[in-house]
Amino acid sequence: MARRPVIAVVTARGGSIGFPGKNLAPFLGRPLVAHAVREAMTARYVDRVVVSTDNDDIAAAGAAEGAAVVPRPAELARSDSRSVDAVLHAADVLELTDDSVLVLVQPTTPLRTAADIDECLSLYERDEGGSVVQMTGVVEHHPWKACVVVDGRVRPAHEWADLEAPRQQLPNTLRPTGGVYVIGAGDLRRHRRFFVPEVLAQVIPQDRAIDVDTSADLAAAVERARAMGLD
């Protein structure tokens, strides 16, 4: 059976409240969005890379690295817009069939590599369905030892007993890095989310899971990249 077409979508809107111009901020000599495109272009199993954006400078940076550009409507580029809607819009503009495989690659996880993307795609093909999400271990604070507030009252995130349980008795937990999501186009259209069971995780070390939301985050990512010899 022929391999399904794989399309990587780099989502990069122009606006950013906390870090203006974030997706164009320089990382190892090129804008974050260009770096993301380069990693996706380098991945062996990716057939096509597109940038979904509402910003001309971002579009130019992505195109300079070889990506196609899908102009994103303003209503999908607000601060509360969801990445899933931008990816679905790109899939529809490109007239992708449901058997296509979509890879969401976000510029704000710059320590993700082409090898990570290929590993996620290998996991996806092995399971033949569901989705694959890049994740890392949670070491700062176990999520079951947190509380939520509902109607002004405190409730446990999981169970009351977990708040006092020894950490060693609680299960290992993972969180998404934001770096790579893999799903079939048909599944994404049906469910409108990237987490579709069975979900498989590609786990990376926490020091490569930096999510750039501030200039300090970017500086930390650059420092780590240089320590890894990526510059």
Side-chain angles (χ1 to χ4, degrees), residues 44-177:
R44 290 193 305 159
Y45 303 136
V46 172
D47 299 306
R48 188 177 183 186
V49 181
V50 301
V51 173
S52 166
T53 188
D54 61 325
N55 180 278
D56 290 341
D57 292 333
I58 290 175
E65 295 290 339
V69 176
V70 174
R72 193 190 308 185
E75 61 269 22
L76 298 182
R78 300 191 299 260
S79 59
D80 61 348
S81 296
R82 301 171 66 221
S83 294
V84 63
D85 294 322
V87 174
L88 285 170
H89 171 263
D92 290 342
V93 168
L94 297 171
E95 299 182 339
L96 299 182
T97 57
D98 281 353
D99 68 338
S100 301
V101 177
L102 292 168
V103 184
L104 170 60
V105 178
Q106 300 187 113
T108 49
T109 313
L111 296 175
R112 163 216 47 241
T113 66
D116 290 334
I117 297 172
D118 281 332
E119 184 179 347
C120 288
L121 285 165
S122 294
L123 286 170
Y124 180 80
E125 289 301 321
R126 186 187 312 165
D127 201 53
E128 296 183 354
S131 56
V132 177
V133 179
Q134 185 184 77
M135 298 190 184
T136 193
V138 177
V139 298
E140 301 92 345
H141 188 85
H142 198 288
W144 286 10
K145 285 187 171 291
C147 294
V148 296
V149 178
V150 180
D151 296 329
R153 295 181 179 274
V154 172
R155 298 286 185 267
H158 189 250
E159 300 287 350
W160 285 116
D162 297 327
L163 298 175
E164 300 176 54
R167 183 183 180 88
Q168 294 79 2
Q169 293 181 7
L170 300 178
N172 292 332
T173 55
L174 301 171
R175 66 168 178 82
T177 68

Side-chain angles (χ1 to χ4, degrees), residues 140-225:
E140 301 92 345
H141 188 85
H142 198 288
W144 286 10
K145 285 187 171 291
C147 294
V148 296
V149 178
V150 180
D151 296 329
R153 295 181 179 274
V154 172
R155 298 286 185 267
H158 189 250
E159 300 287 350
W160 285 116
D162 297 327
L163 298 175
E164 300 176 54
R167 183 183 180 88
Q168 294 79 2
Q169 293 181 7
L170 300 178
N172 292 332
T173 55
L174 301 171
R175 66 168 178 82
T177 68
V180 188
Y181 298 81
V182 179
I183 190 171
D187 281 336
L188 193 64
R189 285 174 171 137
R190 282 188 291 273
H191 299 282
R192 303 191 71 86
R193 65 176 188 268
F194 290 102
F195 290 85
V196 174
E198 294 291 327
V199 179
L200 298 180
Q202 184 244 358
V203 182
I204 65 170
Q206 192 175 48
D207 61 2
R208 285 210 298 116
I210 297 173
D211 184 21
V212 175
D213 198 42
T214 67
S215 57
D217 295 333
L218 180 59
V222 170
E223 181 179 359
R224 181 57 190 152

